[in-house]
Amino acid sequence: MSLDAIHARQPDHPVAAQFTDRWSPRSFTGRALSEAEVMSLLEAARWAPSASNHQPWRFVWARAGEPAFAAIHQALTGNNLVWTARAGALIVVASKDAVTNREGAEVANRTTGFDTGAAWMSLALQAHAMGLVAHAMGGFDRDRLAQAVGLPAGHTLHCVVAVGEQGAAEALSEDLQAREKPSSRRPVAEISRHGRF
């Protein structure tokens, strides 16, 4: 992907370049990430904002070439099975469903998905800062993935993130090559209202 295509994404209002330059490619070089690289990604996710500091996010990760990578990979579905094979690591994003309240009772955490989304975005921005690319996907078999990672009761699977060095678009099938470019976004006026809906 040329830098011209990335920089063609122009915001309607001033924002830091990390937001418009970050995108989700599907082509990877196949280089396994080092454990230190994965730890940096998870460290960024660790510092995401969290309601009442409950930090419900949970991650299970594996690097290319490891048996756990193959187990996570085999739980993916559709085209995800094809393009993720050359990712440097796969990271399963889940969350703990309940929290202990001030009275010591376990109650549903109504912000778990919201908080875990913030952690994923922190991970994605860290990947971008490290010169890596990250692509989150929801195309997976829930039962098979839960078994592959030993998901405990009381946890929810959200996505699998493929992360690594960006590869050439030409390494993808023709249909995926056509999609290998940064996408646009809805204008702010379409996603927000001043005062009320």
Side-chain angles (χ1 to χ4, degrees), residues 108-128:
N109 181 358
R110 63 185 180 84
T111 63
T112 187
F114 183 80
D115 289 357
T116 303
W120 137 249
M121 186 61 184
S122 295
L123 186 155
L125 290 175
Q126 178 64 27
H128 177 70

Side-chain angles (χ1 to χ4, degrees), residues 89-163:
L90 293 174
I91 302 173
V92 177
V93 181
S95 63
K96 189 171 183 291
D97 299 333
V99 296
T100 305
N101 67 14
R102 291 188 175 112
E103 291 75 40
E106 284 282 302
V107 297
N109 181 358
R110 63 185 180 84
T111 63
T112 187
F114 183 80
D115 289 357
T116 303
W120 137 249
M121 186 61 184
S122 295
L123 186 155
L125 290 175
Q126 178 64 27
H128 177 70
M130 293 167 63
L132 302 172
V133 293
H135 188 124
M137 68 206 101
F140 55 86
D141 180 306
R142 289 190 180 278
D143 292 338
R144 191 167 186 177
L145 184 60
Q147 183 177 13
V149 300
L151 187 75
H155 288 68
T156 297
L157 293 168
H158 294 286
C159 68
V160 178
V161 180
V163 62

Side-chain angles (χ1 to χ4, degrees), residues 13-25:
H13 308 279
V15 295
Q18 66 181 339
F19 297 105
T20 52
D21 288 355
R22 187 218 62 81
W23 64 292
S24 302

Side-chain angles (χ1 to χ4, degrees), residues 5 11-12 17 28 50 73 76 80 86 88 102 123 129 137 154 163 180:
D12 295 335
F28 294 93
S50 172
H73 183 256
L76 300 176
N80 294 336
R86 295 184 51 79
R102 291 188 175 112
L123 186 155
M137 68 206 101
V163 62
E180 191 71 349

